[in-house]
């Protein structure tokens, strides 16, 4: 029995994919990268914004063709899209055989076994399963409650990493307690549940023994890690334990909600050499009225104070953020405030998104929805400004020295290696190209001097 798997969306979703792969392999299922060879095809979907939902649907429909063109006997929709639109998906996509929710990845074998018996199934959380052999409309199936029971893997859960050998994602918590007006994640993933510190340390220790050089800590809200277990946000406490693990490796922290970015956390990042001086701080906007309508607890003043503090106490820190344009009611004046903030702060890495209207969120029914054309104009205007800022920052790095984690080689020039420093997160930031380097191997950490800076990437030489 062979299975093919497509994972979409964020790194948090990828971890769910990896543990499902591990469970399937532990039950004797062979994994294949060729969908034409697969008896079972699984898509782990994303439903964060409209474009992600469209990509998920397109991928499902493309794989559905293998019901006729290949060996596929079971097509399973996992992840956020399935959790959110389970009945509609099975109604609209008759080739799909099962929905498995975000909190039910540990029941992947149950879904496989049921569908291979000819049943269409929906499995949500750890309680609900409904199925039918021949009902043409899933909406005719019995009704059930949406389960918000969270589920997160542990250090002993079977897992097949799909990232390169030198880097890994470690999910420290699942779900989110914040209720930002634009975000559907709390409805999909439920409330935050954190893994115990001891369990995370056990996983990281094992990864380092396997040769992993970069540990990327992820959650919906990493800075609120441990609040449910230890009654206070405990990311700094976790980091203090992780840096005690023997080995030559980096720790990178992603998805840091600004509310709980404490002085203690700043000090730990500044002091510990194993922790990347990289802060991923999604801010979303810079005008106080917009932040209030977004249900964000921050103000422009508190954000600026936090950025000043981080920069003053973490020398050389690289700061990444994301912003939304076209939020309901965003006036030209409010957009100009965001624009001025970005020009003033000159953050190292920035992502911009046009507002995506998501049903069942507070922003969905807000008055004064912004036309898509206006949102796109604002998006492109910010991206143009950001490209100039990025080039300015990268040019300022010329002459500086960094340790680089080697990721590969130029396909056409064998003496050019490519990698990242602490300043660049995997998959989302730029790369550093090292000229005249024919010796470095993937996974090596080498010291370089920057010789040129461009909009997104850097050029360097080994020293």
């Amino acid at each position: 029995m062979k299975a093919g798997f497509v994972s979409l969306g964020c790194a948090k979703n990828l971890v769910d994919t990896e543990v499902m792969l591990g469970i399937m392999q532990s039950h004797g299922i062979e994994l294949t990268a060729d969908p034409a060879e697969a008896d079972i095809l699984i898509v782990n979907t994303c439903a964060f914004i409209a474009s992600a939902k469209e990509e998920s649907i397109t991928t499902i429909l493309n794989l559905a063709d293998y019901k006729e063109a290949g060996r596929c006997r079971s097509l399973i929709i996992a992840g956020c899209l399935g959790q959110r639109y389970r009945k509609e998906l099975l109604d609209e996509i008759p080739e799909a055989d099962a929905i498995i929710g975000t909190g039910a990845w540990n029941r992947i074998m149950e879904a496989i076994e049921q569908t291979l018996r000819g049943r269409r199934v929906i499995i949500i959380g750890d309680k609900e399963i409904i199925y039918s052999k021949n009902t043409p409309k899933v909406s005719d199936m019995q009704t059930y409650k949406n389960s918000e029971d969270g589920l997160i893997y542990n250090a002993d859960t079977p897992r097949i990493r799909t990232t390169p050998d030198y880097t890994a994602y470690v999910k420290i918590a699942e779900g989110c307690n914040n209720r930002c007006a634009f975000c559907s994640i709390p409805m999909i993933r439920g409330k935050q549940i954190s893994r115990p510190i001891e369990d995370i340390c056990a996983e990281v220790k094992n990864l380092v023994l396997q040769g992993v050089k970069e540990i990327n800590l992820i959650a919906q809200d990493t800075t609120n890690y441990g609040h449910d277990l230890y009654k206070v946000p405990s990311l700094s406490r976790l980091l203090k334990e992780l840096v005690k693990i023997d080995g030559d490796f980096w720790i990178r922290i992603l998805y840091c909600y600004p509310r709980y970015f404490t002085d203690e956390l700043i000090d730990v990042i500044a002091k510990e050499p194993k922790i990347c001086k990289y802060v991923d701080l999604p801010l979303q906007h810079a005008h106080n009225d917009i932040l209030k309508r977004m249900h964000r607890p921050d103000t422009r003043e508190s954000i600026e104070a936090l950025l000043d503090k981080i920069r003053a106490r973490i020398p050389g820190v690289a700061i990444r953020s994301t912003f939304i344009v076209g939020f309901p009611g965003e006036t030209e004046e409010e957009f100009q405030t965001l624009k001025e903030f970005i020009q003033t702060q000159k953050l190292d890495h920035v992502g911009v998104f046009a507002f995506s209207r998501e049903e069942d969120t507070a922003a969905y029914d807000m008055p004064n929805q912004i036309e898509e054309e206006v949102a796109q104009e604002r998006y492109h205007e910010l991206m143009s400004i950001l490209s100039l800022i990025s080039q300015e920052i990268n040019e300022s790095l010329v002459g500086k020295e960094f340790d680089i984690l080697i990721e590969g080689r130029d396909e056409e020039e064998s003496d050019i290696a490519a990698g990242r420093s602490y300043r660049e997160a995997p998959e989302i930031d730029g790369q550093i190209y090292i000229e005249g380097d024919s010796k470095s191997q993937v996974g090596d950490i080498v010291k370089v001097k920057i010789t040129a800076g461009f909009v997104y990437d850097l050029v360097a030489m080994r020293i």
Side-chain angles (χ1 to χ4, degrees):
M1 189 73 66
K2 293 184 179 182
F5 218 116
V6 177
S7 188
L8 304 173
C10 65
K12 300 177 287 291
N13 220 34
L14 180 63
V15 171
D16 292 344
T17 292
E18 292 177 343
V19 295
M20 283 190 277
L21 290 173
I23 291 170
M24 291 160 62
Q25 188 179 68
S26 70
H27 282 78
I29 293 178
E30 182 181 345
L31 305 176
T32 177
D34 184 355
E37 294 183 354
D39 304 281
I40 305 151
L41 287 170
I42 303 169
V43 185
N44 198 10
T45 58
C46 179
F48 183 52
I49 57 177
S51 59
K53 289 186 279 190
E54 290 170 6
E55 181 185 23
S56 294
I57 292 293
T58 299
T59 303
I60 293 166
L61 293 175
N62 287 340
L63 290 184
D65 290 341
Y66 290 97
K67 283 287 191 81
E68 298 292 334
R71 293 170 42 180
C72 181
R73 297 163 52 201
S74 172
L75 176 59
I76 298 174
I77 302 171
C80 295
L81 193 74
Q83 176 83 17
R84 192 171 181 190
Y85 302 107
R86 41 196 177 268
K87 287 189 177 182
E88 296 90 334
L89 284 173
L90 288 195
D91 279 347
E92 297 298 326
I93 307 177
E95 298 91 346
D97 299 293
I99 300 291
I100 181 166
T102 56
W105 49 261
N106 62 326
R107 300 174 68 187
I108 183 64
M109 289 307 303
E110 188 174 351
I112 291 171
E113 290 164 2
Q114 292 286 349
T115 55
L116 291 179
R117 293 177 186 171
R119 290 172 167 171
R120 304 187 83 198
V121 303
I122 299 176
I123 303 177
I124 302 294
D126 62 354
K127 297 183 178 68
E128 306 291 346
I129 176 169
I130 58 175
Y131 58 84
S132 169
K133 282 189 176 181
N134 301 307
T135 305
K137 279 286 187 180
V138 177
S139 55
D140 295 335
M141 298 160 76
Q142 68 188 75
T143 59
Y144 57 95
K145 296 188 302 180
N146 178 20
S147 171
E148 285 195 356
D149 293 334
L151 182 68
I152 191 166
Y153 74 106
N154 60 45
D156 296 324
T157 305
R159 180 179 173 189
I160 297 176
R161 287 193 294 112
T162 58
T163 52
D165 291 342
Y166 53 82
T167 187
Y169 293 104
V170 174
K171 191 188 290 191
I172 62 175
E174 179 62 277
C176 185
N177 293 342
N178 304 306
R179 292 284 176 173
C180 299
F182 52 83
C183 185
S184 60
I185 294 300
M187 293 182 289
I188 296 171
R189 295 274 178 176
K191 295 179 180 179
Q192 178 172 295
I193 55 169
S194 304
R195 295 172 60 191
I197 289 174
E198 297 77 13
D199 186 60
I200 297 170
C201 287
E203 181 184 12
V204 172
K205 186 178 296 185
N206 186 47
L207 290 170
V208 172
L209 288 173
Q210 295 173 26
V212 173
K213 301 290 183 66
E214 180 182 51
I215 302 294
N216 300 285
L217 303 182
I218 57 174
Q220 302 297 337
D221 178 1
T222 51
T223 40
N224 197 34
Y225 162 77
H227 208 159
D228 52 318
L229 291 179
Y230 308 113
K231 309 308 177 188
V232 292
S234 301
L235 180 58
S236 56
R237 179 179 165 187
L238 169 64
L239 292 170
K240 290 176 184 178
E241 294 302 316
L242 290 176
V243 297
K244 295 177 183 178
I245 296 172
D246 292 335
D248 182 17
F249 65 98
W250 299 346
I251 300 171
R252 188 183 302 277
I253 313 160
L254 300 173
Y255 310 110
C256 299
Y257 202 82
R259 175 192 281 183
Y260 298 114
F261 213 102
T262 63
D263 287 350
E264 181 183 19
L265 179 58
I266 294 173
D267 289 340
V268 171
I269 295 172
K271 183 176 72 172
E272 296 294 345
K274 285 182 177 177
I275 302 176
C276 292
K277 308 315 182 231
Y278 180 99
V279 172
D280 177 23
L281 200 70
L283 298 174
Q284 311 306 355
H285 214 277
H287 194 285
N288 287 344
D289 290 345
I290 291 284
L291 289 168
K292 185 176 181 180
R293 294 204 297 275
M294 285 181 166
H295 299 172
R296 304 280 291 185
D298 319 299
T299 62
R300 176 171 181 171
E301 293 74 21
S302 68
I303 289 169
E304 290 175 333
L306 177 59
L307 292 172
D308 288 346
K309 189 186 299 184
I310 289 171
R311 284 169 164 156
R313 289 163 59 178
I314 309 177
V317 66
I319 301 176
R320 177 178 180 82
S321 192
T322 54
F323 297 95
I324 296 172
V325 294
F327 189 79
E330 184 187 52
T331 64
E332 183 61 28
E333 178 187 352
E334 290 166 340
F335 171 68
Q336 291 299 323
T337 297
L338 173 60
K339 179 178 166 182
E340 185 269 330
F341 174 86
I342 286 174
Q343 290 172 317
T344 301
Q345 289 296 327
K346 295 184 177 180
L347 303 177
D348 298 270
H349 306 287
V350 175
V352 180
F353 297 91
F355 170 72
S356 178
R357 192 180 181 194
E358 297 300 312
E359 57 266 45
D360 300 322
T361 63
Y364 185 82
D365 291 321
M366 284 184 177
N368 302 316
Q369 297 284 328
I370 303 298
E371 292 183 5
E372 178 65 20
E373 182 180 352
V374 174
Q376 288 297 322
E377 289 175 356
R378 293 174 179 176
Y379 166 82
H380 289 294
E381 186 173 350
L382 283 191
M383 292 303 295
S384 178
I385 292 169
L386 288 166
S387 66
L388 297 176
I389 293 172
S390 178
Q391 182 160 350
E392 179 185 341
I393 290 172
N394 284 345
E395 288 176 348
S396 74
L397 297 174
V398 172
K400 296 186 181 298
E401 299 177 2
F402 296 98
D403 289 332
I404 304 299
L405 176 60
I406 301 297
E407 294 195 290
R409 302 204 152 271
D410 187 281
E411 293 182 358
E412 298 179 358
E413 302 288 342
S414 61
D415 64 342
I416 297 179
R420 295 178 289 104
S421 73
Y422 74 86
R423 294 177 50 84
E424 296 89 25
E427 300 178 314
I428 55 175
D429 298 327
Q431 284 201 312
I432 299 174
Y433 293 92
I434 308 165
E435 295 182 319
D437 182 0
S438 58
K439 297 180 180 180
S440 296
Q441 302 296 313
V442 172
D444 288 349
I445 295 178
V446 303
K447 189 171 288 295
V448 306
K449 178 183 285 187
I450 305 301
T451 58
F454 301 96
V455 174
Y456 297 113
D457 300 316
L458 297 159
V459 177
M461 60 179 291
R462 283 193 63 166
I463 56 175

